[in-house]
Amino acid sequence: MPFSTYLSKCPDCHEATEEELMVRLDDVLADYTQVPGALIPVLQITQAIFGYLPETALKKIALSLGKSYSEVAGVVGFYSFFTTVPRGKHLVRVCLGTACYVRGGKEVLAASKDLLRIEVGETSSDRMFSLDVGRCFGACGLAPVIMIDDDVHQRVRPAQLPKILDRYRDNSATDDNGNGESD
Amino acid sequence: MISLTINNNPVEVSEGTTILDAAKLCGMRIPTLCYVEGLKAVGACRVCVVEVKGARNLIASCSMPATEGMEVLTNTRRVREARRTVVELLLSEHNGECQTCERNEDCELQALAAELGIREISYVGEKTRRRIDTSTPALVRDLGKCIKCRRCVSVCLETQHVGALFPQNRGFETVIGPAFCHDLNTVACVQCGQCAAVCPVGAIIEKDQIEDVWKALDKPDNHVVVQTAPAIRAALGECFGYPPGTLVTGKMVAALRRLGFHAVFDTNFTADLTIIEESNELLMRLKAGLGAGDSGLGKTTSPSPESRTPNPEPRFSPLPMFTSCSPGWIKFLEYFHPDLIPNLSTCKSPQQMFGAVAKTYYASKLGKRPEQIVVVSIMPCTAKKSECQRPEMDASGTRDVDVVLTTRELGKMIHAAGIDFDALPDEEMDAPLGLSSGAADIFANTGGVMEAAIRTAYEVVTGRELPLKGLHVAPIAGLSGVKEASLKIEGVKPEWKFLEGVTLEVAVAHGLGNAEQVISSIKSGEKQYHFVEVMACPGGCIGGGGQPRYTNNKVRQARIEAIYREDEGKKFRKSHENPAVMQLYADFLTDGPLGHRSHELLHTSYTPRDKA
């Protein structure tokens, strides 16, 4: 199976149990065991499946790729894309690049924290949202910007946040491909 | 060949030679903190920078191959200042005080700072966070002292194929350590201590147990005996300024007596004992594997297989048989190839056989109980500290070996006692556990256990001495990573007729990466052997993780040659000629090799371990 197939959205992964996801990981590993340089792609796929990199999955990856667990952990720790903290269904990234920062990104971040009741790097207790900080998404003209999953929301004001987030809660925003979710 | 100049001196080198190695050829030493001979250069420390004419930036000489016409300058103002800056930056993060450091006066960073004439650190800033990891029996990690040179990473992954240590996180937050910066006991570490042997600073050291020995010696009721591994005598001198390869057996014995040990014994004694047991085990396995005749094992009593191994079925004593002297290798097999545990000889290592014999046979001779004897081992090895704590190592009813010191720790103890090593007379080991053959000496070298076993097994089977020059099995000696030999057995005694005309195939590997290679070739069916010797450390015990620093191949070779000299100078050259060992069988192990008492005291079992 091509790499992109694995990385594409895994629509029912969020509903599947960890055991079921582990079976999917086994299928991935079966394809990649003999492939040189497979560690990073396998980690990316694993994170797409689980939403994060659980310890049991990392140990399984180390065993099937013939790498030491310490080496696998070292690669996970090196790249900021990888996380070992369980991720929510949706990832909220608030841009704190220069343009967004001066146009109120900090206030948007503070409002996001309040609203979700989590700190940066954490996941809400209902596993719906994770919160992260971004350093420029290349949309400075639209500042301040937040990204939720693959959608860009422009000129966000703190007061708009509850409405934006609610759309993801009831799934309506993820079904169309629109990055026009902004107002 | 490639021609270049180094500091205007012309030099010719073969293709692929690095600038660092080319410089050595014309007498220029370029300092480095991360380079390890024989391993892929990582260029992590940046201390080895040189100027190359035409290049804009300074170049790391450890990882840059020499090219035709290259003009290299290793000692310019720019180079010296760059090196000084690099070392100052390292020192600014290095969280350690030289005076209280285990590596004081044995530290490459300290030595380099002195060499570069650094008198103050111009960079103030955050220090690396200190954390001490004492989670394993043999090794202590002090993260604050780590300079992230990655020598330990290379050795653990490339040389040993273990991979317990790897850089975690990034930038200033980088920690060289086990997965997710947890303690060392959370990952598969075999405790071989090769990381501690190459660490330029005090970030990984053996667990210091010198004080435990002083305490044991202070207690008046204790009878404290010491055993010294074969590899110590060829390396201890280095702690006192002697060149590598100086044999200091006699002075070592004299020093140990002056430290107050009540008896100075030799692990060599139980190395001879190991050979008697292990060569009989090999013959037993050969008999099972090659179609048994109906004879027993020569003149010795042959017990049923049930009493011999924890696994009663003969098919669980398969070939090839692997040696079991090296505790790092044992752990490696338990972690990474538990399916091959039945192939491991059930013989304990000489260190553990010694403990069991000292606390039973020797104790009874003195009229003492096992608990009244304290057994201290001097080992070239860190894994031995771990081995003696294995729960099953209490055949005498108490811990068979109480404390293990490395060669380096013994050197420190002698220094601390104020003993002038140079002025010591040569003294002899005590009887009876101090007597040994040359076959025991060579346990220190890669290929030595195999050679010692062949010397005895050949004679048991044929009644004749091994017909090789100097009793040496030349193809398995030396520093090649994997060595093989074939030995045709002819003219056997009638009871060994199933071995007539058989060609014994043996292999020897040192360094666990080489062991891995041998295991793969066995598992794939590409190779078939009867007997395989594995030592965890490169060069065998003479290159152990507890030996004086710094061990490279030149040092290994010098120690190996010294050990062969020791062997050749011995009155007895074969383990079965050791009269004290024969006496032990006559008086104590009366049901012979592999007999019931041997089984209880001298043999052991192994535990499959989960590597992740």
Side-chain angles (χ1 to χ4, degrees):
Chain A
M1 228 189 293
F3 180 54
S4 55
T5 316
Y6 287 117
L7 273 186
S8 64
K9 283 250 183 209
C10 178
D12 60 334
C13 277
H14 194 67
E15 280 74 34
T17 65
E18 192 126 326
E19 287 77 45
E20 287 163 353
L21 297 181
M22 215 48 97
V23 175
R24 293 183 198 182
L25 175 60
D26 285 336
D27 293 342
V28 172
L29 288 170
D31 281 0
Y32 275 90
T33 311
Q34 302 299 329
V35 180
L39 180 57
I40 288 178
V42 165
L43 289 172
Q44 285 176 289
I45 295 163
T46 308
Q47 187 154 307
I49 294 175
F50 290 87
Y52 74 113
L53 295 168
E55 186 180 312
T56 42
L58 292 177
K59 288 187 171 171
K60 194 179 265 236
I61 291 168
L63 287 177
S64 24
L65 299 186
K67 300 258 176 215
S68 84
Y69 182 47
S70 297
E71 182 175 354
V72 171
V75 172
V76 170
F78 187 84
Y79 294 102
S80 56
F81 173 81
F82 293 128
T83 174
T84 55
V85 181
R87 280 295 166 111
K89 189 175 178 186
H90 304 290
L91 174 61
V92 180
R93 290 189 292 165
V94 179
C95 182
L96 288 186
T98 312
C100 290
Y101 189 89
V102 298
R103 296 198 54 178
K106 213 168 80 168
E107 286 72 30
V108 174
L109 179 63
S112 307
K113 284 190 200 172
D114 280 353
L115 213 54
L116 298 171
R117 298 201 187 132
I118 50 174
E119 289 299 312
V120 172
E122 292 180 349
T123 299
S124 60
S125 54
D126 60 359
R127 295 277 302 266
M128 192 56 77
F129 294 105
S130 295
L131 181 62
D132 243 334
V133 162
R135 303 283 173 195
C136 194
F137 304 137
C140 304
L142 310 174
V145 159
I146 68 171
M147 277 185 82
I148 300 181
D149 302 332
D150 294 329
D151 310 330
V152 178
H153 299 264
Q154 52 174 291
R155 298 203 179 93
V156 178
R157 276 168 281 118
Q160 298 170 324
L161 273 172
K163 207 175 130 202
I164 297 174
L165 291 175
D166 279 347
R167 273 188 248 155
Y168 288 85
R169 269 190 235 279
D170 61 16
N171 257 340
S172 60
T174 50
D175 292 338
D176 61 41
N177 246 349
N179 47 4
E181 286 302 318
S182 55
D183 48 338
Chain B
M1 294 300 271
I2 286 167
S3 309
L4 70 160
T5 65
I6 294 191
N7 303 335
N8 303 316
N9 297 309
V11 56
E12 290 224 325
V13 295
S14 56
E15 193 140 348
T17 307
T18 60
I19 297 175
L20 185 87
D21 287 332
K24 278 182 203 152
L25 295 176
C26 53
M28 290 308 295
R29 180 180 52 83
I30 298 175
T32 163
L33 290 171
C34 70
Y35 170 83
V36 183
E37 176 189 80
L39 297 183
K40 204 161 59 207
V42 291
C45 78
R46 316 311 289 178
V47 170
C48 70
V49 289
V50 294
E51 264 190 82
V52 174
K53 277 219 179 121
R56 196 158 50 96
N57 296 325
L58 295 175
I59 282 172
S61 62
C62 69
S63 45
M64 173 61 86
T67 54
E68 185 63 36
M70 199 179 238
E71 295 175 53
V72 180
L73 297 170
T74 70
N75 180 35
T76 62
R77 172 167 295 276
R78 190 173 166 216
V79 163
R80 285 193 303 271
E81 279 173 3
R83 286 180 191 162
R84 205 176 292 141
T85 305
V86 166
V87 173
E88 269 187 64
L89 284 166
L90 287 173
L91 287 168
S92 75
E93 289 185 10
H94 181 63
N95 196 349
E97 294 286 338
C98 289
Q99 297 90 329
T100 52
C101 182
E102 201 269 348
R103 294 291 297 271
N104 191 8
E105 297 212 319
D106 180 26
C107 170
E108 293 178 48
L109 182 63
Q110 188 188 46
L112 192 54
E115 184 178 298
L116 294 170
I118 294 174
R119 291 287 168 266
E120 61 177 332
I121 316 290
S122 345
Y123 309 98
V124 280
E126 211 178 327
K127 294 266 179 197
T128 309
R129 258 188 303 284
R130 186 152 195 253
R131 202 182 103 216
I132 313 276
D133 172 7
T134 57
S135 64
T136 62
L139 298 167
V140 175
R141 296 164 58 238
D142 183 342
L143 302 187
K145 289 176 181 165
C146 177
I147 58 167
K148 288 131 190 151
C149 70
R150 307 188 185 198
R151 278 188 191 170
C152 57
V153 175
S154 304
V155 161
C156 192
L157 195 61
E158 283 185 54
T159 310
Q160 300 298 61
H161 280 225
V162 171
L165 304 171
F166 204 81
Q168 310 290 321
N169 303 331
R170 192 155 57 155
F172 186 77
E173 299 300 320
T174 304
V175 168
I176 308 293
F180 299 111
C181 311
H182 293 153
D183 282 346
L184 194 52
N185 66 350
T186 62
V187 292
C189 164
V190 303
Q191 301 275 284
C192 70
Q194 285 298 312
C195 52
V198 297
C199 181
V201 295
I204 310 182
I205 57 172
E206 66 269 50
K207 191 165 274 182
D208 183 340
Q209 292 182 290
I210 294 174
E211 191 49 36
D212 296 347
V213 177
W214 286 126
K215 276 191 191 141
L217 289 168
D218 284 346
K219 218 168 146 201
D221 297 340
N222 280 347
H223 183 82
V224 189
V225 304
V226 63
Q227 57 165 325
T228 55
I232 313 298
R233 61 211 70 191
L236 179 65
E238 293 163 40
C239 299
F240 304 95
Y242 290 86
T246 309
L247 283 168
V248 293
T249 321
K251 285 186 193 298
M252 172 182 78
V253 173
L256 289 166
R257 268 201 196 105
R258 278 151 188 76
L259 288 173
F261 289 102
H262 300 106
V264 180
F265 289 142
D266 208 339
T267 314
N268 274 12
F269 175 85
T270 37
D272 279 332
L273 186 60
T274 301
I275 285 302
I276 307 292
E277 293 290 327
E278 196 162 327
S279 55
N280 276 293
E281 185 186 349
L282 174 67
L283 293 172
M284 176 79 90
R285 286 182 189 238
L286 286 172
K287 191 175 164 186
L290 296 174
D294 48 12
S295 85
L297 294 166
K299 284 176 191 154
T300 63
T301 314
S302 168
S304 62
E306 282 86 339
S307 68
R308 188 166 41 85
T309 67
N311 305 305
E313 310 261 344
R315 68 188 164 86
F316 281 111
S317 300
L319 293 168
M321 183 172 85
F322 292 125
T323 58
S324 56
C325 308
S326 167
W329 153 240
I330 298 289
K331 271 250 174 110
F332 182 81
L333 203 79
E334 288 177 331
Y335 273 126
F336 299 97
H337 298 283
D339 54 317
L340 291 177
I341 283 177
N343 292 66
L344 270 177
S345 164
T346 60
C347 287
K348 283 182 186 171
S349 71
Q351 150 165 295
Q352 293 305 138
M353 283 197 186
F354 182 93
V357 169
K359 291 203 178 183
T360 53
Y361 172 68
Y362 174 71
S364 71
K365 274 179 176 269
L366 294 184
K368 289 190 184 286
R369 296 187 313 276
E371 311 79 67
Q372 292 174 292
I373 310 275
V374 176
V375 174
V376 174
S377 307
I378 313 298
M379 293 285 142
C381 181
T382 52
K384 292 280 173 192
K385 285 178 186 274
S386 179
E387 180 186 41
C388 80
Q389 292 183 28
R390 289 175 69 110
E392 63 272 23
M393 294 300 177
D394 61 351
S396 64
T398 176
R399 286 282 93 196
D400 294 334
V401 173
D402 297 279
V403 191
V404 176
L405 298 185
T406 62
T407 316
R408 296 189 292 259
E409 285 174 287
L410 175 62
K412 283 189 179 151
M413 223 179 150
I414 295 170
H415 277 298
I419 294 167
D420 181 354
F421 193 79
D422 202 32
L424 289 171
D426 285 343
E427 293 183 7
E428 299 275 329
M429 302 259 187
D430 290 311
L433 308 185
L435 202 70
S436 68
S437 78
D441 284 306
I442 58 173
F443 264 59
N445 292 348
T446 168
V449 175
M450 175 67 72
E451 180 170 314
I454 290 176
R455 285 183 194 175
T456 287
Y458 188 89
E459 204 160 311
V460 167
V461 169
T462 65
R464 300 184 311 274
E465 189 169 81
L466 185 67
L468 295 174
K469 191 178 166 225
L471 289 174
H472 294 311
V473 187
I476 56 169
L479 286 171
S480 305
V482 177
K483 299 164 283 184
E484 296 175 312
S486 306
L487 186 71
K488 187 154 191 195
I489 305 168
E490 284 172 313
V492 299
K493 291 183 183 170
E495 60 266 39
W496 297 104
K497 64 174 188 292
F498 71 94
L499 282 172
E500 182 64 42
V502 168
T503 300
L504 193 71
E505 301 290 349
V506 303
V508 170
H510 57 115
L512 294 169
N514 293 321
E516 181 67 44
Q517 195 185 316
V518 169
I519 288 172
S520 317
S521 69
I522 292 170
K523 282 189 172 173
S524 71
E526 180 199 337
K527 297 277 187 182
Q528 285 175 325
Y529 301 112
H530 298 106
F531 191 17
V532 177
E533 178 205 287
V534 179
M535 293 295 154
C537 293
C541 307
I542 53 94
Q547 291 282 59
R549 297 182 183 91
Y550 183 89
T551 302
N552 56 24
N553 271 344
K554 200 173 152 196
V555 172
R556 288 187 188 100
Q557 189 59 39
R559 291 177 188 157
I560 284 173
E561 283 164 16
I563 290 291
Y564 283 126
R565 284 200 302 280
E566 186 85 340
D567 161 34
E568 283 156 11
K570 282 279 169 77
K571 181 175 171 199
F572 306 111
R573 299 285 310 284
K574 293 163 265 174
S575 295
H576 57 276
E577 291 174 343
N578 181 333
V581 169
M582 290 303 115
Q583 197 65 43
L584 174 69
Y585 279 109
D587 293 349
F588 189 65
L589 304 172
T590 46
D591 44 2
L594 311 184
H596 184 66
R597 196 168 232 165
S598 289
H599 175 59
E600 285 187 342
L601 292 179
L602 309 181
H603 291 259
T604 189
S605 58
Y606 308 102
T607 313
R609 293 173 203 274
D610 189 4
K611 71 178 162 182

